[in-house]
Amino acid sequence: KLTPGFVGADIENLVNEAAILAARRNQKQVSMDEFQEAIERVVAGPERRSRLITDEEKEVIAYHEAGHAVVQHVLPKCDPVRKITIVSRGMALGYTMSLPEDDHLLQSRNKFRDQLAGMLGGRVAEEMMFDDITTGASNDLERATELARKMVTRYGMSDALGPMTFGQKEELVFLGREISEQRDYSDAVAQQIDQEVRAFVDEAHDRAQQALEEHRDNLVAVATRLIEIETLDSDQFGLIMDGVPA
Ligand code: NHX
Ligand code: ZN
């Protein structure tokens, strides 16, 4: 349940990492704690506690992560938040871990809509709290744009363009065709695709904004707690969202 999307090689890597951690801790057995840490290492890289971060940056990171978490908590089709942290790991200055409760073979448009809003929650929180935005959201924006584009071009989820696919599958492009051959639609359709991708991203941005404006108190409470204790598990986060004082 903790490793959705992992391929065999990822799991091999994770078991190996867990074993190394257990050996380093002089344990004779690998316990769940090592597996947990190993999963996060595989997903995001090793913890970097020695990274120097200014107080201003720490505040931005905390609000960014709190933004993801609150939007994901509020929108019904987002996966539950498992962990929020502002401890650096690999490339990331902070991250919000959410995991599906069960394995699904199919995804729906409304689920994608909620997930897109969750991905933009970090950026929107920055906008709301600091009247400025940072480069930090780059990976979120990349993933959101890629998902929105797939919704339009692969899954036929745009009402304007209808149940059609556009462009060849990436795998076919990999097999050595010229890049120019992958486009099997007109300039006019290219413009429509861009417009529809933008519409999904814009809609997600507006829904994230609405959620955070509605739950601004929670946003502040979660970010404030993150600045204090750096990491929240799902229970700690849930209590804050339920209004239970620390
Ligand atoms: C930099 N990193 O590159 C610094 C060190 C906005 C609070 N100057 O969205 O850490 O800005 O919710 C995989 C995963 C690039 C690939 C994360 C490639 C992050 C992560 C840029 C949090 N959490 N951004 C986030 C973040 C950054 C980055 C990644 C990646 C921040 C943000 C990285
Ligand atoms: Zn983010």
Side-chain angles (χ1 to χ4, degrees):
K1 278 193 167 181
L2 292 171
T3 58
F6 277 41
V7 298
D10 292 330
I11 293 173
E12 180 178 11
N13 191 220
L14 133 70
V15 173
N16 198 34
E17 288 279 355
I20 292 168
L21 284 169
R24 223 179 265 155
R25 294 171 181 177
N26 289 320
Q27 293 174 188
K28 288 189 176 159
Q29 291 183 332
V30 186
S31 71
M32 197 56 208
D33 193 56
E34 284 81 49
F35 279 114
Q36 190 68 58
E37 167 63 20
I39 289 166
E40 289 189 61
R41 277 184 174 227
V42 171
V43 173
E47 239 180 35
R48 297 172 64 170
R49 285 187 174 276
S50 58
R51 193 171 222 156
L52 292 175
I53 294 167
T54 65
D55 286 348
E56 286 84 7
E57 282 175 330
K58 200 168 171 178
E59 206 181 351
V60 173
I61 299 167
Y63 273 98
H64 178 104
E65 298 316 327
H68 284 302
V70 171
V71 173
Q72 285 174 28
H73 183 85
V74 167
L75 298 183
K77 290 185 184 327
C78 283
D79 294 325
V81 173
R82 295 294 172 103
K83 179 177 169 175
I84 319 162
T85 184
I86 61 168
V87 176
S88 279
R89 208 178 250 286
M91 301 261 299
L93 297 170
Y95 61 96
T96 300
M97 207 168 107
S98 48
L99 286 173
E101 274 169 313
D102 29 39
D103 226 352
H104 289 287
L105 300 175
L106 296 171
Q107 303 288 343
S108 74
R109 177 164 62 180
N110 284 340
K111 178 154 189 203
F112 282 154
R113 283 191 165 119
D114 283 4
Q115 281 177 341
L116 276 179
M119 287 178 200
L120 294 178
R123 163 53 68 88
V124 171
E126 293 182 37
E127 290 168 359
M128 281 173 55
M129 302 309 298
F130 304 103
D131 271 321
D132 198 6
I133 48 188
T134 70
T135 53
S138 64
N139 186 251
D140 294 333
L141 305 185
E142 219 171 284
R143 287 187 303 124
T145 310
E146 195 185 306
L147 174 55
R149 189 164 284 277
K150 275 193 177 163
M151 290 168 72
V152 176
T153 62
R154 299 262 66 83
Y155 306 130
M157 288 176 171
S158 141
D159 289 330
L161 284 159
M164 290 178 67
T165 64
F166 303 94
Q168 282 177 15
K169 288 206 179 93
E170 272 170 52
E171 303 93 80
L172 293 178
V173 178
F174 265 126
L175 294 177
R177 304 265 165 268
E178 284 230 339
I179 307 269
S180 56
E181 278 179 46
Q182 72 175 305
R183 217 176 99 168
D184 56 5
Y185 46 83
S186 66
D187 283 352
V189 168
Q191 283 201 11
Q192 273 185 301
I193 291 171
D194 292 344
Q195 204 176 316
E196 290 297 284
V197 171
R198 181 175 294 280
F200 275 128
V201 175
D202 282 350
E203 180 203 56
H205 180 278
D206 291 353
R207 292 181 67 224
Q209 193 168 0
Q210 201 185 331
L212 291 181
E213 273 165 7
E214 223 166 280
H215 299 270
R216 196 190 181 95
D217 293 355
N218 284 329
L219 175 68
V220 174
V222 171
T224 303
R225 198 77 184 120
L226 275 175
I227 292 167
E228 287 164 6
I229 64 173
E230 297 189 327
T231 300
L232 299 175
D233 64 24
S234 57
D235 293 340
Q236 292 169 310
F237 172 62
L239 287 174
I240 296 173
M241 294 306 288
D242 291 342
V244 180

